[in-house]
Every structure is written in C-alpha cells, then in structure tokens.
Amino acid sequence: MESNYVYRNITDDLRAAISDGTYAPDELIPSENTLAAQYGTSRVTVRKALHILENEGLIRPKHGKGYFVLSPEYNRFLLDFVDKPASGSSKYLEINVIPAGEALAKRFLTREDTMLVVIRRLLLEDETPAAYDEKFFPYVRGEPLIERELEYEHFPDVFTDKYIPRGIWTKMEIETEKAPQNVALVFGCAPGETLLCVSRTVFSSENSPIGFGRRWYSPAGVLTATSNYSQSERKASEQRGG
Amino acid sequence: MESNYVYRNITDDLRAAISDGTYAPDELIPSENTLAAQYGTSRVTVRKALHILENEGLIRPKHGKGYFVLSPEYNRFLLDFVDKPASGSSKYLEINVIPAGEALAKRFLTREDTMLVVIRRLLLEDETPAAYDEKFFPYVRGEPLIERELEYEHFPDVFTDKYIPRGIWTKMEIETEKAPQNVALVFGCAPGETLLCVSRTVFSSENSPIGFGRRWYSPAGVLTATSNYSQSERKASEQRGG
DNA sequence: AAGTGGTCTAGACCACTTC
DNA sequence: AAGTGGTCTAGACCACTTT
C-alpha cells in the first residue's frame, strides 16, 4: 500500500481524504509546511504532490491562504473526433481547387474568387458508408497550414514538413441537417432526410478562419464522448508510459 | 518581453522554438542540465518550466533520453454539456419513483422491480422549448450518488451534503433519433421526426452504471465543442485567477 | 507579525539509456 | 562511463492574507 516515493504517499492520502469527504469542497487542506512536517519531508516534495492534485482538478492554491478543495467538474466532456477513423477505411470522392463562391467566401472572410482546396471523402465501416466528409481550405502553395490540423495525408506539393502549426484550434457544431442529394445518394436514403451533421471551423492562432469542414453521418451514426477528461487524460498518459 | 521569472523565460522561449519548428516533433529539446547552464539557473527551475510545457502537451520526457517534442493533438474536443443551462430556464415536467421495467433494468443491470427516480424536464431558451431531458437513477435513501453528478437541485430527503462522489464518469452518445410522441408534442413537430439526441450513462468508479439520461434537442438545436482543450483549459484557469 | 503559497538555489543519489 | 531524467533535501527570499 505504501509507496517508495514520498510525493506518491502524499497524493494518494490527500486524494483519498478528498474523495471520502474528510476535506470537503471549498475547505482548505493542510498547509505545505504542515504536510512537510507530517511526512517528515521538504516543502519542495510537498509542492510536487500538490501540483499533481492541482492538475487533476482536485485543489487550487490561493496565495496567502492555502489550497482549496474544488468541486468536481461534471459538465466537461472529451469528444474524440478522428479525421480518419482508425478502424474502417476512407475513399476519396474528389480533390479539387475551386473558387470560394459566395457562401464559403463569407466563412473565410475572403473574396469569392479566392481559390480553395476541396476534399470530399467517404468514410467506410465494414465496407458500408458511415459518413460523408467534405473540407475546404485556402490553397496557398508552400504553406502547410491545415494539413496536420485535419490530419490529411501528405500533399508534398502543397505542404512542407518542417513547420507544424501550433495554437490552431477548431470549433465544432453538432446538429441535425437535411441530407443534400449527393449525401443522400451515398447512404441510400431519401434526399432531405434528417442526418447527424458535424461542422468544423478551423481557426488560426489569430482567430481567423482558415478551414471549414462538414461531415454527415449515416442514419445509424453515433458520436461518443466521455466525462472526467482530466482523469481519462491521466490514465491515458499512464498507459502511454508517461 | 523578458519576464522577471526565470521559469517563465524558459517556457516562453521553448514554446516559441517548438512553435516555429526549431524543435520539430520527435526531436529532443536541450537537456535539463544544458538549459540550466544556458539560463544560469538550477535544475529545479528548469524542471518546473519543462513540467509546464509537458502539461500543455508540447513535450514528453523519456527517462535516460531527454524531452521529446510531441505532435499537436488535433482530434480531441472539449464538449461543454451543462445539465442545467446557464442562460435560459428549466421546467420540471415530472419527478417520480418508478419500477425499472425491462429496458431500464437492462441498462442498470438490475431487476425489473428496482425502484428508479425519474426526472423529466423541459429546457427553455427565450421561453421556447430547446430540449426535452429525462434521467433515471436508482432510488437509494441517504445515498447521494448522482445528485451532484447530474447537478440536480437539492433533494435533502434523498441526498446528504457531505459526501461528494469522485471518480464517477459519464459516457455520452450523440445521435439522431425519432421523436417519441411526448417529445414531439413539446416541440410542436410531427411524432417520428428525426431529432438530435444525447444519451448519457453515468458509471461509478467501479464502472457499474448508476444513472441514465436522454436529451432530445429541438430541430434547431446545436451542440458545440472546441479543440485544443489543453489550451482552453490553461486559458480558463488563468481567467479564474489560478 | 505570523502564516500562507510562489520562486529559487546548490547540491545529492538513483534509475534508465547509450556508448 | 557518461549523460539523461526522477526523486529529494535544507535552506532562502518574496508576495499575499489575516490578525
């Protein structure tokens, strides 16, 4: 039960005490000095332990006061949206360069004659269509902007390898939408049938839109998400051998 | 530009260097000792800086090797699913205790005569129905299990205040479903119309199901999620004054 | 003034990896 | 053997909060 590592004992004890209500939300846990004395260790080691609990979302330090116990976060979910599914395959329907046109020009805040790359794909599970996916992004030769963001395959002509965008982020909207004719055709359902649809807008670190995608799921399609993302994070990184 | 804190300078410099490709994914950044010498500081301070970057998902240490630069995570999204919306109100349609019945008994892995609490609510935005929500969970007097999990109002008869469950987690399924009659009635649409539906199963820390909920959204309903959850986390905690 | 967390030092020993 | 990260010490000074 007892770990060889002092900090491990501290985190385990405090985690249990918080879990069983010994320290309730908004209460203070013992101070760094108290814990250091209690465990016969240095403040540095105590702080290491407390940092871990802070990252787990259990406590938060307040300068000059102490460490407060936090209430559990219940409404944050981790959604795993893979561009290219691990299981199943994908089939390209179209890769093209087109002028933006009115609707997309609005999304990208550019002119209607801006050239966009369009990629349309069919995602398959067990040989049957699972989702119809399309993406648009500005065609800028040599600028690799969103290749990695959307985890495209490699287009050596368009993208360089060295620069990997960081700070890019995506906003996702999940809603129902009536299937356009080409989508309905793929799923073998009636045009106008209501499908699960996920729209994504990719933003640069300066918050300007640099990519847009939409994905329609087959009538049987499901998206899953899990809560306790900090916990699942911790477990995942342990599995990766962090 | 220069910070008063050594660790801050290190994180800022490395973050920039990783961002501009000086250190590419799968490459090693300079070792702790190298950085300590470079910045004329102690290893402890360097480690503090590197821990921060690790938490941001930029690097990962490998014992005996060094710190590797990670590729950006693009397929993890943070979905904010609030049980009770901040804006708008909610109206209780039904609070009851019922026997589980066949379908729910299966979900909870219990007998069909197990008593369940059922809560049905209508979520309103601007006075118009936005979502129809129902939840089921075992009725156990004095056990507060999922009150907080689902952020119910307080039922002092059922729940105690002291014990706050930790380690509980929720699995969410987002799909389209045909509206049952009572739901369709609420939205003023035809029964059988396809709606956005979110099902949630709440699990105990021992991974047994302890709650189930379903929410139908009005035809205009949208769920949103954002990527770079680690970054948004960081920003959020800064805003909270962490 | 006393207690709290925030930053920082200059060492130490250990475990893992590579040569 | 040499370099790497992982754990740990016994101090120090500073900034914030409360009495």
Side-chain angles (χ1 to χ4, degrees):
Chain A
M1 206 65 202
E2 181 101 336
S3 162
N4 290 320
Y5 300 116
V6 183
Y7 83 92
R8 208 38 169 35
N9 289 327
I10 302 178
T11 55
D12 290 352
D13 291 350
L14 286 178
R15 213 183 278 118
I18 289 170
S19 188
D20 72 13
T22 306
Y23 306 118
D26 299 326
E27 282 182 18
L28 289 168
I29 63 172
S31 73
E32 294 179 355
N33 284 318
T34 308
L35 289 169
Q38 235 175 68
Y39 286 87
T41 186
S42 71
R43 235 188 97 203
V44 179
T45 302
V46 170
R47 282 178 64 78
K48 173 172 184 161
L50 296 179
H51 259 120
I52 291 171
L53 297 178
E54 188 188 347
N55 280 333
E56 290 174 12
L58 293 178
I59 57 177
R60 179 181 318 282
K62 183 85 194 291
H63 199 158
K65 294 276 294 186
Y67 287 81
F68 285 92
V69 176
L70 298 178
S71 299
E73 266 290 6
Y74 286 134
N75 43 20
R76 279 148 116 66
F77 291 80
L78 193 63
L79 195 153
D80 228 315
F81 182 91
V82 277
D83 190 57
K84 200 176 179 179
S87 73
S89 59
S90 84
K91 179 183 157 195
Y92 285 94
L93 303 174
E94 182 188 358
I95 300 178
N96 222 333
V97 179
I98 57 164
E102 190 180 357
L104 286 168
K106 248 182 217 161
R107 288 202 182 272
F108 287 110
L109 311 171
T110 60
R111 290 162 33 182
E112 297 190 9
D113 59 359
T114 303
M115 296 310 281
L116 299 180
V117 178
V118 52
I119 300 180
R120 288 186 226 268
R121 284 183 315 167
L122 194 57
L123 307 186
L124 303 167
E125 297 271 356
D126 301 327
E127 317 270 318
T128 62
Y132 179 103
D133 193 87
E134 65 179 18
K135 321 179 209 183
F136 305 87
F137 54 95
Y139 178 84
V140 183
R141 200 185 164 81
E143 266 199 26
L145 274 175
I146 45 178
E147 178 219 9
R148 304 252 176 189
E149 160 65 22
L150 299 179
E151 295 202 342
Y152 297 137
E153 280 83 320
H154 210 63
F155 290 95
D157 195 47
V158 185
F159 306 113
T160 65
D161 213 8
K162 185 70 177 168
Y163 174 73
I164 293 193
R166 309 258 176 183
I168 276 182
W169 61 284
T170 303
K171 185 177 162 187
M172 203 183 243
E173 291 182 331
I174 306 163
E175 57 199 320
T176 56
E177 244 181 56
K178 296 196 188 308
Q181 194 153 23
N182 51 343
V183 176
L185 205 67
V186 153
F187 293 131
C189 64
E193 178 158 338
T194 308
L195 297 179
L196 183 61
C197 178
V198 177
S199 310
R200 292 149 288 158
T201 308
V202 182
F203 294 91
S204 71
S205 46
E206 291 83 23
N207 296 329
S208 50
I210 56 171
F212 176 71
R214 232 171 343 182
R215 179 180 295 186
W216 285 270
Y217 285 88
S218 83
V222 182
L223 275 170
T224 61
T226 53
S227 76
N228 264 17
Y229 71 99
S230 63
Q231 188 179 321
S232 51
E233 257 306 275
R234 194 167 77 245
K235 282 176 183 166
S237 80
E238 278 166 6
Q239 281 171 1
R240 283 194 298 264
Chain B
M1 206 64 202
E2 182 100 337
S3 162
N4 290 321
Y5 300 116
V6 182
Y7 83 92
R8 209 37 173 26
N9 289 327
I10 302 178
T11 55
D12 289 352
D13 291 351
L14 286 178
R15 212 183 278 115
I18 289 171
S19 187
D20 73 12
T22 306
Y23 306 119
D26 299 325
E27 282 182 17
L28 290 168
I29 62 171
S31 74
E32 295 179 355
N33 284 319
T34 307
L35 289 169
Q38 234 173 70
Y39 285 87
T41 185
S42 70
R43 234 188 97 203
V44 179
T45 301
V46 170
R47 282 178 66 78
K48 173 172 185 160
L50 296 179
H51 260 120
I52 291 171
L53 297 178
E54 188 188 347
N55 280 333
E56 290 174 12
L58 293 178
I59 57 177
R60 181 183 314 287
K62 184 88 193 292
H63 198 158
K65 294 277 293 187
Y67 287 82
F68 285 92
V69 176
L70 297 179
S71 299
E73 265 291 5
Y74 287 134
N75 43 17
R76 278 148 116 66
F77 290 80
L78 192 64
L79 194 153
D80 227 317
F81 182 91
V82 276
D83 190 56
K84 200 176 178 179
S87 74
S89 60
S90 84
K91 180 183 157 194
Y92 284 93
L93 303 174
E94 181 188 359
I95 301 178
N96 221 332
V97 178
I98 58 165
E102 189 180 358
L104 286 168
K106 248 183 219 158
R107 289 202 180 272
F108 288 110
L109 312 171
T110 60
R111 290 162 33 185
E112 296 189 10
D113 59 357
T114 303
M115 296 310 282
L116 298 180
V117 178
V118 53
I119 299 180
R120 288 186 228 268
R121 286 182 314 169
L122 194 57
L123 307 187
L124 303 167
E125 296 270 358
D126 302 326
E127 317 270 318
T128 62
Y132 180 102
D133 193 88
E134 66 180 16
K135 317 178 209 186
F136 306 86
F137 54 95
Y139 177 84
V140 183
R141 198 185 165 81
E143 267 200 24
L145 275 176
I146 45 178
E147 179 218 9
R148 304 254 177 188
E149 161 66 21
L150 300 179
E151 295 203 340
Y152 297 138
E153 279 83 322
H154 210 63
F155 291 93
D157 194 48
V158 186
F159 306 113
T160 66
D161 212 9
K162 183 71 178 168
Y163 174 73
I164 292 193
R166 309 256 177 185
I168 276 182
W169 60 284
T170 302
K171 185 179 164 186
M172 203 182 241
E173 292 182 331
I174 305 164
E175 58 199 321
T176 56
E177 244 183 55
K178 295 194 189 308
Q181 195 154 23
N182 50 344
V183 175
L185 205 67
V186 154
F187 294 131
C189 64
E193 178 159 339
T194 307
L195 297 179
L196 184 61
C197 177
V198 177
S199 310
R200 291 150 288 157
T201 308
V202 183
F203 294 91
S204 71
S205 45
E206 291 83 26
N207 296 329
S208 49
I210 56 172
F212 177 72
R214 231 170 344 182
R215 178 178 296 185
W216 286 269
Y217 285 88
S218 83
V222 180
L223 275 170
T224 60
T226 53
S227 75
N228 265 17
Y229 72 98
S230 63
Q231 188 178 321
S232 50
E233 259 306 274
R234 193 167 77 245
K235 282 178 184 163
S237 80
E238 278 166 7
Q239 282 171 359
R240 282 194 298 266

